[in-house]
Amino acid sequence: MLDIPSRVRVHVETPLAAQNDMGVCDAFEQYAPVREPDAMNAPHPPKVAGIDSTVPSPAHTVAPAPVTAGTPTVPAASSGSSGPGVLLTDRLAGWVSDLTTLHELTERLTRTDTLPDALQELLRAGAALVGARRGLVVLEPADRLGPDTMIGLGLGRADLGHIETVPRSALSYGRILEGLPGGEGEIAEPDLFAEDGLDPRHREVAARLGYAASYAMPLEADGASGRLGAAVWLYDEPAEPGERRRHLIGLYVRYAGEHLARLLEVERTRACMKTMAEELLPSRLPRVPGVQLAARHRTGPRGGGDWYDALPLPDAALGLAVGSVTGSGPSAVAAMGRLRASLRAYAVMEGEDPVAVLSDLELLLRLTEPARSATALFAYCEPALRKITLAGAGHCPPLVLGERRTEFVETSVSAPLGMLACWEAPSVELEAEPGETVLLYTDGLLHRTGDPVDRAFARLHAAAAGVPKPLRHDPGAIADHVLRTLLPDGAAERDSDEDVVLLAARFE
């Protein structure tokens, strides 16, 4: 995500500039348009984006050809500087060009906030630095805790599959990941087909995919993370990066390893919290005659306290509940699990009276977790009669969607659970028409829109009213349409501190 807007150009003596490479920045024509060289007015920074600015003497600087008799001499710079001064200017220009490149690439990498995006950016930037066109990165943390993945640049899934058929010991990234001899650092294979000991399967795959050379580097991080994986860049013709390119890619990969280690921890935390939340929520919704159910749940990387439940009750009744616990992280997820389990017990004992269920839940929360509050809504449904009795504690009102109406249910106003010494509010009765769907949701659905509450409610009402008629027979399709309309462009799937819960019940 380092969007490189420009290249730094340094004005040096024209004849010498024609003889010398001006640095690796010239490899980035694909990234940037050219602008005026005003960036060179800034002083040379001692350190750029966490990268040591000490760069070895550029190998690309070529000494001027000796002057022989009869050869016209090249005049010195108009400023009157001598030959060595011009060479020094050229050398400094190369350093600044390369440091600018590293600065821009590391900033681009820093802006990636997911592991797949960071790996793709690593491949793109690395390919430009080493002068390759294709490559792949294999993520296999040394602690074997995952996640393990392989991502390619210019290589399709089938191509990666062909590469995986080669014995790992015959591949450069395999020697790095397995800790085999010669896999401790970078591995350059400048001409694969000229190697006598090349594995026959590797030779076949290289010929099939059309690469003749490779350059591999380990991905490592300091501290407990250790080795994270390996990156390989592939050349179409026999080639290998020079000393200067190797130095620059080494600096970049060292920084990338630290960034990948941070994203790896975030990914593991996200997966852990998602697993915990899913285990505490219903694994499947019950099948009850007369009603169809569907639920959608989205949680952030730290895990949240939004939950839902649907449980069969005596006398062919059905209990529906949604709620939200304050906070986020493991403690909120654990509190959500305790609250949901307690509500299930109260619903089985006295579910026909939603006020009694929430009153017991209020007392439990106040006695066991006085520092925490929660919202909840419980509905006692009689599918045969299409009758719903519900009560809410600081929760959003349900939304009824049918052929003749789309309206919010008027529930009694009440504070959240844990906010009053004694909670009690009257219940509300609702009779659904055949084919109508009742939507229960948490306030995270409204907060994710980024709009004020009244505007978010209006948008939710419009999204429900706009469900196409062919979709109204399927509560899952209704829930998906509402999510796509209310949170467009995949906003429902992005990381957020706000959980989303949407429970749809369609009465036949």
Side-chain angles (χ1 to χ4, degrees):
M1 295 176 56
L2 268 168
D3 188 21
I4 302 181
S6 64
R7 279 188 311 162
V8 175
R9 288 185 175 177
V10 181
H11 294 285
V12 296
E13 189 66 23
T14 303
L16 285 174
Q19 300 177 32
N20 297 294
D21 178 14
M22 295 303 294
V24 179
C25 272
D26 292 340
F28 286 85
E29 295 290 347
Q30 57 179 321
Y31 278 122
V34 178
R35 71 178 181 191
E36 293 302 319
D38 54 353
M40 284 300 296
N41 297 328
H44 177 62
K47 194 169 186 177
V48 180
I51 298 178
D52 186 2
S53 61
T54 305
V55 181
S57 268
H60 65 270
T61 304
V62 182
V67 179
T68 58
T71 302
T73 59
V74 179
S78 58
S79 60
S81 58
S82 61
V86 174
L87 291 178
L88 179 59
T89 302
D90 180 37
R91 178 173 299 179
L92 290 176
W95 286 349
V96 171
S97 176
D98 293 337
L99 289 174
T100 301
T101 296
L102 288 174
H103 173 68
E104 292 171 341
L105 290 179
T106 52
E107 280 195 345
R108 192 184 190 111
L109 181 66
T110 302
R111 295 193 191 106
T112 58
D113 54 5
T114 65
L115 202 55
D117 289 344
L119 294 176
Q120 285 286 357
E121 178 58 32
L122 166 68
L123 280 176
R124 286 193 295 266
L129 285 171
V130 302
R133 188 173 63 88
R134 294 178 292 173
L136 61 99
V137 59
V138 182
L139 188 69
E140 286 187 14
D143 56 14
R144 302 189 182 279
L145 298 178
D148 296 347
T149 186
M150 176 185 286
I151 295 179
L153 173 68
L155 299 171
R157 289 182 176 271
D159 299 332
L160 297 177
H162 286 305
I163 293 176
E164 287 187 306
T165 62
V166 180
R168 297 196 89 185
S169 59
L171 294 169
S172 54
Y173 76 79
R175 295 198 293 272
I176 292 174
L177 297 177
E178 300 296 335
L180 299 176
E184 297 81 8
E186 61 181 8
I187 300 178
E189 296 175 312
D191 191 348
L192 287 171
F193 298 106
E195 296 183 8
D196 296 333
L198 185 65
D199 183 87
R201 179 57 185 167
H202 192 188
R203 183 185 301 273
E204 178 183 347
V205 170
R208 182 188 185 96
L209 300 184
Y211 66 87
S214 67
Y215 182 72
M217 293 196 69
L219 300 176
E220 299 173 332
D222 296 334
S225 300
R227 192 206 67 219
L228 304 176
V232 185
W233 290 276
L234 306 175
Y235 297 89
D236 297 340
E237 302 291 340
E240 64 177 318
E243 179 183 355
R244 187 178 189 82
R245 290 181 179 268
R246 293 191 185 198
H247 183 76
L248 293 175
I249 190 63
L251 293 174
Y252 179 77
V253 168
R254 186 171 63 189
Y255 177 84
E258 299 299 326
H259 183 65
L260 291 175
R262 292 189 291 270
L263 292 180
L264 182 64
E265 290 302 315
V266 172
E267 188 73 20
R268 288 176 174 176
T269 301
R270 179 187 292 112
C272 180
M273 298 309 301
K274 182 179 180 180
T275 302
M276 288 178 57
E278 289 177 350
E279 290 297 324
L280 292 173
L281 293 174
S283 57
R284 63 182 180 85
L285 296 173
R287 294 183 178 181
V288 178
V291 63
Q292 295 176 285
L293 300 174
R296 300 294 183 264
H297 178 237
R298 306 288 186 268
T299 187
R302 295 187 300 170
D306 288 16
W307 54 277
Y308 67 94
D309 205 352
L311 67 156
L313 297 175
D315 301 324
L318 174 69
L320 300 176
V322 291
S324 177
V325 176
T326 56
S328 61
S331 63
V333 174
M336 174 265 286
R338 293 191 294 267
L339 198 67
R340 172 178 171 266
S342 301
L343 185 141
R344 290 175 70 90
Y346 298 145
V348 170
M349 293 186 294
E350 48 192 1
E352 69 279 359
D353 186 358
V355 171
V357 172
L358 293 185
S359 296
D360 292 341
L361 202 62
E362 155 71 25
L363 179 61
L364 176 70
L365 190 67
R366 179 161 49 90
L367 294 177
T368 59
E369 301 187 57
R372 194 181 296 277
S373 64
T375 66
L377 186 145
F378 178 72
Y380 179 79
C381 305
E382 300 173 81
L385 303 175
R386 296 188 300 278
K387 180 181 176 182
I388 305 172
T389 305
L390 58 89
H395 206 78
C396 302
L399 180 62
V400 180
L401 165 64
E403 294 292 337
R404 297 182 177 86
R405 61 173 176 171
T406 300
E407 61 186 22
F408 291 101
V409 179
E410 294 186 7
T411 56
S412 55
V413 178
S414 170
L417 299 173
M419 301 295 289
L420 297 175
C422 180
W423 179 90
E424 184 172 350
S427 59
V428 176
E429 289 190 357
L430 167 68
E431 186 173 341
E433 298 293 332
E436 287 189 333
T437 301
V438 178
L439 298 178
L440 309 180
Y441 53 94
T442 59
D443 57 2
L445 179 65
L446 304 176
H447 292 162
R448 280 212 189 192
T449 63
D451 294 330
V453 176
D454 55 345
R455 172 62 178 162
F457 273 118
R459 289 184 56 191
L460 174 59
H461 184 278
V467 175
K469 288 186 177 181
L471 302 181
R472 297 196 176 196
H473 299 283
D474 182 1
I478 292 175
D480 291 335
H481 178 85
V482 170
L483 285 177
R484 287 195 304 268
T485 306
L486 194 62
L487 303 173
D489 301 325
E493 307 296 334
R494 295 178 193 146
D495 290 343
S496 172
D497 292 335
E498 299 290 345
D499 285 9
V500 171
V501 165
L502 184 58
L503 179 61
R506 181 181 182 275
F507 291 86
E508 299 174 353

